[in-house]
Amino acid sequence: ALSACKSAPMTGETPPAQMQTRSSPTEQLDRFMAIFPGRYDSWQQWRDTAGSNTRNYRRHSIFRHVDLPAFGDHVFLAHQYRDGDPQAVYRQRLYTLTLVPDRVDAAFRLRVHVPKEAGALNGAYRDPSELQHLSPEDFTVWDGCDLFWSWQDDAFVGTLNPGACRFTSEAFGQEIVLEETLTLSPDRITFADRGLSLDGDWLFGMR
């Protein structure tokens, strides 16, 4: 798993209230909205695992709450780059959060919106007003790739439905099955993800 510490909150974010045991789905969503925004960097773990065959690449993640009513009430911009190089951007997405009253194992879902046009989100983490011309039709949503979140003990845990997230990767030239679990606490996010071929062969991520 790749663990990234929060290096800074986003401007304007307020400290979150403490989550209570058995909180309602709405309370859990509100709590998530309060602690998720910020910058996260896995530099410490990357440093501590130098020379290990389990070492992950260094990942820097920026998650910013943005106002895009066409996408819903709770929308985030995700901007991620690797190896400490802001030019090495490998992922830009919009995330939307909604309650899931039909599930007893989760409080809310995170849906990933992938821009159809490369570069459509460039620079938007600095100036979200650059997103205002975009609509849901400018994005693709991969069926089965929603993350379902709930508060467990002392952190949020988000998981995919097993085997459900499949998409065609241009980089690998084949269909990929994604396995992913994310854990979010007030000061840290941990990524445990990997991509497999349809035959179950490892392609990327944790082994």
Side-chain angles (χ1 to χ4, degrees):
L2 189 153
S3 183
C5 296
K6 179 177 280 190
S7 57
M10 297 307 297
T11 302
E13 299 295 338
T14 56
Q18 181 62 40
M19 174 63 70
Q20 302 297 317
T21 304
R22 300 172 65 88
S23 296
S24 71
T26 298
E27 290 170 332
Q28 291 187 49
L29 178 56
D30 288 344
R31 168 71 166 174
F32 186 94
M33 292 288 296
I35 68 175
F36 185 49
R39 290 176 175 263
Y40 300 81
D41 199 293
S42 64
W43 176 84
Q44 183 175 349
Q45 185 193 49
W46 178 81
R47 180 200 63 186
D48 293 345
T49 56
S52 169
N53 59 9
T54 61
R55 192 185 203 193
N56 278 290
Y57 61 84
R58 180 181 172 188
R59 180 184 302 188
H60 189 94
S61 303
I62 300 171
F63 302 116
R64 180 163 188 169
H65 185 209
V66 293
D67 183 20
L68 293 173
F71 291 83
D73 295 330
H74 308 296
V75 186
F76 283 92
L77 171 68
H79 179 91
Q80 295 174 294
Y81 60 84
R82 56 188 298 164
D83 302 326
D85 180 3
Q87 302 303 313
V89 176
Y90 69 91
R91 182 177 295 144
Q92 293 176 311
R93 305 283 190 263
L94 290 182
Y95 297 160
T96 55
L97 307 178
T98 55
L99 296 172
V100 283
D102 57 326
R103 294 183 65 132
V104 297
D105 61 337
F108 55 92
R109 72 155 50 89
L110 184 154
R111 178 159 289 172
V112 180
H113 300 256
V114 183
K116 294 177 180 177
E117 180 181 340
L121 303 181
N122 284 349
Y125 74 94
R126 299 190 194 93
D127 182 7
S129 68
E130 296 184 11
L131 302 172
Q132 295 303 314
H133 68 286
L134 297 174
S135 70
E137 289 71 30
D138 297 316
F139 293 79
T140 297
V141 174
W142 292 328
D143 292 338
C145 294
D146 293 347
L147 276 165
F148 292 91
W149 291 84
S150 63
W151 179 261
Q152 300 180 22
D153 297 325
D154 59 355
F156 282 103
V157 177
T159 59
L160 296 168
N161 286 332
C165 184
R166 303 183 178 208
F167 57 92
T168 300
S169 167
E170 293 184 4
F172 289 93
Q174 61 181 293
E175 190 171 359
I176 288 176
V177 180
L178 182 66
E179 298 179 349
E180 185 172 45
T181 299
L182 274 65
T183 305
L184 175 72
S185 61
D187 64 347
R188 183 182 302 271
I189 189 167
T190 300
F191 304 87
D193 50 12
R194 64 177 179 174
L196 305 175
S197 71
L198 296 183
D199 294 327
D201 296 326
W202 178 89
L203 297 173
F204 63 83
M206 65 179 188
R207 290 183 181 272

